[in-house]
DNA sequence: CAGTGAGCGAGCTTCCGCTTGACTT
């Protein structure tokens, strides 16, 4: 072997290995190989922000293998991605493999074709140190922000919290959207629509027309309907306008995540996992990309496929320009490797995602759709307002034959075909309706719409969108959740047969599925960071530092100087906040307790969100109660807070012993004679009666009686019990699985001892995380 | 997964961006 080629991805290594001859060995380094030391800050600020690098623990084996091979070859070709991070990886490789300048060459290609690779090999260059320095600046800045800001949170808000250039802004977006929704004032107005009969060639066509404006009140809407009663309706204008629709560009990571979410209901993480499998099996190109570019080969293949399937009329090859802020375009757009292949996998998820990618790619190379829009204006003899009917005729479907991008907003109903109407023609009115419509608050973010917003702001990279979503949920700043929605009544007026009837209708509103909600911790942390570190929290912070990084990359600025300029004010603010601010808990005064006259607060406590009566300075100690799962610090009322203190509550006496109702980690419960009895979640411990309590206790006691299947006189520490999922072995507080080989009652004490000796207790293997911060409501 | 309903306190937590791999009854 004379040559070693190093790329980032193993799947890429495999493909390229096939293109190059026997003199080339292609290996992968699996992304970054060195990173800042994790033990400390990893940056020596005194020495001009000198980074302290270490080979990452999981890359030691990779590096030692590459080192061994590189010692034996004539030339090492560093073929990492051609972007800022890729350039840095090449530099780290050269450094950690100890390659002298004449032992390696830097090459790069943007598409994986034989031609592109041969071209790269014949045009080698040296490592671009300006670009590497831009990456070092990015890396060091992120480390400083994260590792100086997080400890401030530990001291001033709560231990173990985190903050960073990307995650803190992502959380801010969700927090502020929730605030907008809370402050949103719903406005009602009446929308008027009419149905007319049009007679054309002896047949009656029903058309729908709308009044462009709205009425603020029911009275006005009603008055309008009265005016229409008996009026004449005449066509005043009929306009025909041609229009065209163009296809969307091929997929990038972000647009793939959005469409897979809307069309297939995939989470961002699932989209990436499925795409990874398609990539590894050679069905699609690389899935982490910000480019909409297609290779010449791909465009040629698409053209042939479109010609074959739909005919040349449908083909329109085109290249799209990337508009994304900060795009680095190291790869192609996400597309099928073979555009003439329609099947990619037996796995339904993979196949569905593949079809989506296939359609999007093919559609992007197809002709525009042409449409004819008709707008008919209908005058009212008794009023100056006019009805408008809109019709749409698809003259040529073009790319719509294959694919239409969906949108986050509700789709406007597209017009239907209108029968021909002449100016002056009188129309017969069937009915006119006035429907009360309400303004809608801004939509909560979904995973995918958050990714879209982050991309617009230039925050995060294709490889990090899915991890960001994961991080902010793991840190308990954000919760992906559903809300049931509620009924709302609205007024509906109809003018028909010269009569106006008024009815109430109801609709379901506010239902949410898989939406992102901020948690109390998320809100408190965001408020704190905004107050003390507004420059980092600025939505344009990333974009403005990116501009600096670009200037480093083009040699106009020196990287450590850029860092110095950032660090000076930032660090001053860190010190300032640590020394001069109190602990922050997002405290909110709810009012006073009517019984004691003491202040009541809602705030974030050591164990999560809670309410408090009385102040710490009072002679009597304050009382505390945790919030329920569906309550939040921002919205809890004095009444709800008072309810929280009503538990535990004395329900009454059974046989002169007290029964107490309360809510615990696992929901509402009763306590009687030192034992616990769960109350079904549908019932309320605040109102449960003694009668009902007796029932629940009796039921559980009956069940417990039947619980013991077998006991051993010689060893009372071993029992066979009946649990929710069948029989199991209990031994001194630990539980063991019983083999299904015989009936539970047939096990002997010796059998049991053997199971204990050989088996592992289920308690120890438990991996479920127990949340302690909140009671479930 | 097998019933559960606490709360010491020392020591640790944390960033973003590249890339896949692999703890089991």
């Amino acid at each position: 072997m004379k040559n070693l080629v190093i790329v980032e991805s193993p799947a890429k290594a495999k493909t390229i290995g096939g293109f190059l001859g026997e003199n080339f060995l292609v290996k992968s380094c699996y992304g970054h190989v060195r990173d800042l030391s994790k033990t400390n800050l990893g940056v020596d600020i005194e020495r001009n922000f000198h980074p302290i690098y270490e080979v990452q623990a999981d890359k030691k084996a990779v590096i030692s293998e590459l080192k061994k091979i590189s010692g034996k070859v004539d030339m090492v070709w560093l073929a990492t991605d051609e972007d800022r991070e890729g350039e840095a990886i090449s530099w780290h490789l050269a450094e950690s493999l100890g390659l002298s300048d004449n032992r390696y060459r830097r090459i790069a290609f943007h598409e994986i074709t034989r031609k592109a690779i041969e071209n790269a090999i014949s045009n080698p260059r040296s490592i671009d140190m300006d670009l590497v320095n831009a990456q070092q600046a990015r890396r060091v800045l992120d480390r400083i922000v994260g590792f100086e800001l997080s400890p401030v949170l530990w001291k001033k808000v709560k231990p173990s919290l985190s903050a960073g250039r990307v995650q803190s802004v992502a959380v801010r977006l969700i927090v502020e959207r929730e605030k907008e929704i809370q402050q949103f004032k719903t406005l009602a107005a009446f929308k008027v629509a009419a149905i007319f009969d049009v007679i054309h060639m002896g047949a009656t066509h029903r058309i729908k027309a709308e009044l462009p404006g709205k009425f603020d009140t029911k009275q006005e809407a009603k008055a309008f309907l009265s005016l229409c009663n008996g009026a004449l309706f005449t066509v005043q204008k009929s306009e025909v306008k041609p229009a065209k629709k163009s296809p969307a560009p091929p997929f990038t990571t972000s647009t793939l995540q959005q469409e897979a979410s809307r069309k297939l209901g995939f989470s961002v993480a699932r989209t990436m996992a499925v795409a990874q499998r398609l990539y590894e099996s050679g069905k699609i190109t690389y899935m982490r990309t910000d480019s909409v570019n297609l290779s010449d080969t791909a465009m040629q293949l698409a053209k042939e496929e479109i010609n074959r399937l739909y005919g040349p009329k449908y083909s329109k090859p085109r290249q799209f320009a990337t508009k994304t802020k900060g795009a680095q375009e190291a790869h192609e757009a996400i597309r099928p490797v073979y555009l003439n292949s329609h099947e990619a996998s037996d796995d339904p998820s993979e196949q569905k995602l593949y079809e989506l990618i296939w359609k999007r790619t093919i559609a992007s190379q197809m002709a525009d759709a042409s449409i004819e829009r008709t707008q008919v204006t209908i005058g009212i003899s008794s009023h100056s307002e006019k009805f408008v009917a809109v019709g749409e005729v698809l003259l040529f479907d073009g790319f719509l034959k294959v694919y239409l991008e969906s949108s986050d907003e509700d789709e406007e109903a597209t017009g239907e075909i209108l029968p021909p109407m002449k100016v002056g023609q009188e129309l017969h009115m069937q009915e006119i309706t006035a429907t009360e419509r309400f303004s809608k608050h801004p939509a909560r973010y979904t995973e995918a719409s958050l990714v879209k917003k982050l991309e617009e702001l230039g925050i995060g990279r294709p490889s990090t969108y899915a991890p960001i979503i994961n991080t902010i949920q793991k840190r308990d700043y954000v919760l992906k959740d559903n809300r049931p929605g509620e009924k709302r009544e609205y007024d509906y007026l109809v003018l028909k047969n010269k009569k106006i009837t008024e009815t109430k209708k109801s609709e379901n509103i506010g239902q949410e599925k898989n939406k992102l909600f901020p948690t109390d911790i998320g809100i408190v942390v965001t408020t704190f960071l905004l107050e003390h570190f507004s420059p980092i929290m600025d939505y344009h912070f990333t974009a403005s530092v990116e501009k600096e990084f670009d200037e480093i990359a083009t040699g106009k600025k020196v990287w450590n100087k850029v860092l110095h300029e950032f660090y000076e004010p930032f660090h001053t603010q860190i010190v300032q906040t640590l020394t001069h601010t109190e602990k922050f808990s997002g405290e909110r005064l709810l009012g006073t307790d009517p019984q004691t006259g003491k202040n009541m607060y809602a705030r974030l406590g050591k164990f999560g969100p809670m309410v408090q009566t009385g102040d710490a300075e009072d002679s009597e100690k304050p009382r505390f109660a945790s919030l329920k799962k569906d309550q939040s610090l921002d919205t809890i009322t004095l009444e709800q807070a008072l309810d929280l203190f009503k538990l535990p509550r004395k329900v009454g006496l059974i046989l002169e012993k007290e029964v107490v109702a309360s809510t615990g980690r696992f929901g509402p419960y009763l306590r009687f004679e030192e034992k616990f009895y769960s109350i079904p979640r549908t019932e309320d411990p605040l109102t449960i009666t003694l009668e009902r309590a007796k029932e629940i206790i009796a039921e559980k006691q009956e069940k417990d009686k039947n619980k013991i299947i077998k006991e051993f006189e010689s060893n009372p520490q071993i029992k066979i019990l009946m649990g929710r999922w069948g029989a199991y072995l209990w031994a001194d507080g630990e539980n063991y699985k019983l083999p299904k080989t015989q009936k539970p009652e047939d096990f002997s004490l010796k059998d049991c001892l053997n199971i204990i000796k050989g088996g592992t207790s289920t308690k120890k293997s438990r991996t479920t995380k127990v949340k302690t911060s909140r009671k479930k409501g």
Side-chain angles (χ1 to χ4, degrees), chain A residues 577-601:
Chain A
T577 310
L578 280 174
T579 50
H580 290 99
T581 63
E582 299 286 302
K583 278 204 88 172
F584 184 76
S585 66
E587 184 175 280
R588 190 164 70 88
L589 182 66
L590 300 175
T592 51
D593 181 354
Q595 282 199 335
T596 61
K598 286 185 178 177
N599 285 333
M600 292 197 70
Y601 305 96

Side-chain angles (χ1 to χ4, degrees), chain A residues 252-526:
Chain A
T252 60
T253 303
S254 136
T255 53
L256 177 68
Q257 290 172 344
Q258 290 162 45
E259 279 288 88
S261 163
R262 290 185 290 235
K263 287 201 155 106
L264 307 177
F266 284 9
S267 72
V268 163
R270 182 167 171 208
T271 299
M272 293 313 282
V274 174
Q276 176 88 31
R277 293 204 297 270
L278 286 169
Y279 166 66
E280 282 172 9
S281 56
K283 305 296 183 191
I284 62 168
T285 56
Y286 196 56
M287 65 280 149
R288 292 187 272 263
T289 175
D290 51 23
S291 172
V292 289
N293 195 61
L294 292 179
S295 69
D296 294 343
T297 344
M299 285 178 64
Q300 184 57 36
L301 279 170
K303 188 177 169 182
E304 284 164 21
E305 188 63 3
I306 294 162
N307 285 347
R308 187 176 75 80
L309 292 171
Y310 314 111
K313 213 169 76 168
Y314 279 90
S315 167
K316 185 181 174 187
R318 53 181 122 199
Q319 200 60 264
F320 294 81
T322 300
K323 281 177 255 160
T324 313
K325 216 180 264 176
Q328 310 217 357
E329 307 205 59
H331 305 93
E332 271 190 78
I334 305 170
R335 61 158 176 97
V337 169
Y338 306 105
L339 279 149
N340 54 359
S341 166
H342 297 216
E343 248 97 282
S345 169
D346 292 335
D347 175 87
S349 298
E350 288 175 34
Q351 181 59 24
K352 270 193 278 182
L353 193 70
Y354 180 80
E355 275 169 27
L356 195 66
I357 296 167
W358 184 89
K359 285 178 182 171
R360 175 86 164 210
T361 312
I362 288 286
S364 79
Q365 300 302 306
M366 287 176 75
D368 293 336
S370 72
I371 293 156
E372 192 180 80
R373 280 208 182 95
T374 311
Q375 200 182 65
V376 178
T377 312
I378 300 156
I380 311 164
S381 61
S382 59
H383 204 282
S384 59
E385 293 270 355
K386 293 166 186 17
F387 281 103
V388 175
V390 178
E392 209 173 88
V393 180
L394 191 60
L395 297 179
F396 175 63
D397 55 0
F399 77 97
L400 289 176
K401 209 175 190 69
V402 175
Y403 184 91
L404 179 62
E405 185 179 35
S406 51
S407 113
D408 285 324
E409 281 80 50
D410 298 339
E411 310 264 325
E412 282 273 311
T414 44
E416 289 155 34
I417 300 170
L418 293 178
M421 284 174 264
K422 278 189 294 240
V423 172
Q425 182 177 350
E426 202 171 293
L427 303 180
H428 177 248
M429 187 266 284
Q430 264 294 329
E431 64 170 46
I432 300 179
T433 58
T435 314
E436 189 178 18
R437 297 283 73 192
F438 301 87
S439 55
K440 268 192 273 183
H441 64 65
R444 289 195 173 83
Y445 285 106
T446 61
E447 288 188 356
S449 69
L450 181 65
V451 168
K452 183 181 179 182
K453 184 71 192 178
L454 289 173
E455 187 188 40
E456 277 167 19
L457 294 168
I459 299 172
R461 304 276 311 125
S463 67
T464 62
Y465 295 136
I468 291 166
I469 304 271
N470 190 20
T471 302
I472 61 178
Q473 292 182 76
K474 216 169 59 191
R475 295 255 169 275
D476 227 1
Y477 289 148
V478 163
L479 184 70
K480 188 160 105 176
D481 209 0
N482 304 324
R483 294 290 142 95
E486 52 193 35
K487 276 220 157 103
R488 174 170 64 190
E489 285 204 325
Y490 64 94
D491 285 313
Y492 182 70
L493 310 174
V494 189
L495 165 64
K496 197 171 184 178
N497 301 330
K498 311 218 169 222
K499 225 173 63 202
I500 297 175
T501 42
E502 205 181 308
T503 42
K504 290 236 181 260
K505 288 192 169 189
S506 78
E507 59 187 336
N508 211 20
I509 59 144
Q511 195 183 9
E512 297 279 29
K513 213 182 154 220
N514 290 336
K515 294 288 170 61
L516 300 175
F517 293 83
T519 63
D520 285 321
I521 300 175
I523 295 168
V524 169
V525 167
T526 302

Side-chain angles (χ1 to χ4, degrees), chain A residues 79-223:
Chain A
T80 54
D81 297 347
E82 184 157 51
D83 58 14
R84 199 165 66 201
E85 298 297 325
E87 201 68 18
I89 292 173
S90 275
W91 177 70
H92 281 298
L93 281 169
E95 292 272 304
S96 50
L97 299 178
L99 300 173
S100 53
D101 284 356
N102 57 349
R103 301 280 330 284
Y104 72 88
R105 299 270 185 279
R106 169 80 168 116
I107 54 169
F109 36 85
H110 296 249
E111 49 185 86
I112 307 182
T113 55
R114 183 185 299 270
K115 209 174 96 191
I117 288 148
E118 285 168 357
N119 193 32
I121 296 269
S122 47
N123 290 291
R125 57 176 176 83
S126 55
I127 289 176
D128 179 348
M129 275 319 284
D130 287 334
L131 197 52
V132 172
N133 288 337
Q135 193 275 345
Q136 298 201 84
R138 198 280 305 156
R139 181 66 192 94
V140 170
L141 181 131
D142 281 338
R143 171 55 70 85
I144 289 173
V145 170
F147 276 39
E148 289 209 2
L149 216 43
S150 300
V152 176
L153 293 179
W154 306 343
K155 292 197 182 78
K156 298 296 174 186
V157 184
K158 207 170 164 279
S160 298
L161 295 172
S162 66
R165 171 177 62 82
V166 171
Q167 60 168 282
S168 296
V169 179
V171 175
R172 181 186 172 190
L173 283 167
I174 292 161
V175 168
E176 293 199 335
R177 177 58 53 89
E178 198 65 25
K179 222 159 249 170
E180 278 174 55
I181 294 171
Q182 262 175 36
Q183 286 161 3
F184 186 80
K185 296 261 183 298
T186 305
L187 292 176
F190 286 77
K191 185 91 190 129
V192 176
I195 291 175
F196 297 106
D197 280 346
V198 182
I199 300 176
H200 176 64
M201 314 249 293
T204 309
H205 299 262
R206 226 151 240 195
I207 67 155
K208 193 179 170 183
E210 287 186 345
L211 215 60
K214 287 176 185 160
F215 295 106
D216 289 339
T217 64
K218 187 158 75 169
Q219 285 71 28
E220 289 171 69
K222 208 167 171 182

Side-chain angles (χ1 to χ4, degrees), chain A residues 685-744:
Chain A
L686 275 177
T687 56
I688 196 155
T689 62
L690 184 61
E691 286 305 294
R692 181 69 186 123
K694 279 181 183 167
E695 273 176 37
I696 289 173
I697 290 168
E699 235 171 77
K700 171 88 188 316
Q701 285 175 342
E702 179 65 24
K703 227 191 238 167
D704 281 352
K705 229 186 270 171
N706 300 329
K707 194 177 148 183
I708 299 166
I709 298 177
K710 196 169 192 179
E711 281 177 297
F712 302 99
E713 268 176 39
S714 59
N715 192 344
Q717 295 308 309
I718 293 179
K719 287 172 190 163
I720 293 175
L721 303 175
M722 178 54 84
R724 276 164 74 192
W725 286 274
Y728 66 98
L729 172 61
W730 179 93
D732 207 14
E734 305 251 321
N735 300 314
Y736 299 84
K737 205 172 188 170
L738 281 177
K740 295 227 164 78
T741 46
Q742 49 189 323
K743 284 187 182 165

